[in-house]
Amino acid sequence: MELNSIQPAAGAKHAKRRVGRGIGSGLGKTAGRGHKGQKSRSGGYHKVGFEGGQMPMHRRLPKRGFKSHLLQFNAEVTLAALEKLGAAEVDALTLKQAGLIGQQAKVVKVISTGKLTLAVKLTGIGATASAKAAIEAAGGSLA
């Protein structure tokens, strides 16, 4: 193979569509835009969600619910994740370094999903009632 014989794969390159360049091109006169109307004009098009003046869907439907911006500071850890971590003493910093919770998390809670066989000492971390029972049954503690 020589550098001067290298070619792109067949079908990889194709000529750009040159519109408005005469009848012979097949894309002259209206340049493939059809006749009249908003879509034929330069700078004339609608914004996302515009329904031709009809009240748009996102304004016809009622607003519902609320999502607190404080939720980004809450995090959950499963018993299975604690088992996989395998540390004897666990606090929020340990979980952040292991990537089990986000860096912004302030309030951490253990939930009862999976099984725990290791004795784990939790400091500064909450737990649900069933998770607390499971941790204490495995010989761990919450502080």
Side-chain angles (χ1 to χ4, degrees), residues 8-102:
K13 298 289 228 172
H14 52 85
K16 207 155 159 41
R17 187 157 69 145
R18 296 184 71 228
V19 298
R21 292 294 180 272
I23 296 168
S25 70
L27 288 166
K29 194 183 170 220
T30 54
R33 286 172 171 259
H35 290 276
K36 298 187 181 175
Q38 188 179 25
K39 287 163 75 173
S40 75
R41 315 212 186 270
S42 68
Y45 208 60
H46 57 78
K47 59 188 178 204
V48 175
F50 185 69
E51 298 181 17
Q54 171 177 295
M55 187 61 69
M57 182 67 79
H58 64 89
R59 289 188 60 198
R60 284 198 303 261
L61 298 175
K63 292 188 284 190
R64 270 196 55 125
F66 164 77
K67 190 166 186 180
S68 173
H69 67 281
L70 297 173
L71 286 175
Q72 63 185 328
F73 302 114
N74 294 355
E76 291 179 346
V77 179
T78 62
L79 290 174
L82 287 178
E83 178 79 27
K84 202 171 182 182
L85 185 62
E89 291 192 18
V90 177
D91 61 349
L93 186 64
T94 313
L95 294 172
K96 283 179 186 178
Q97 288 169 344
L100 292 174
I101 62 173

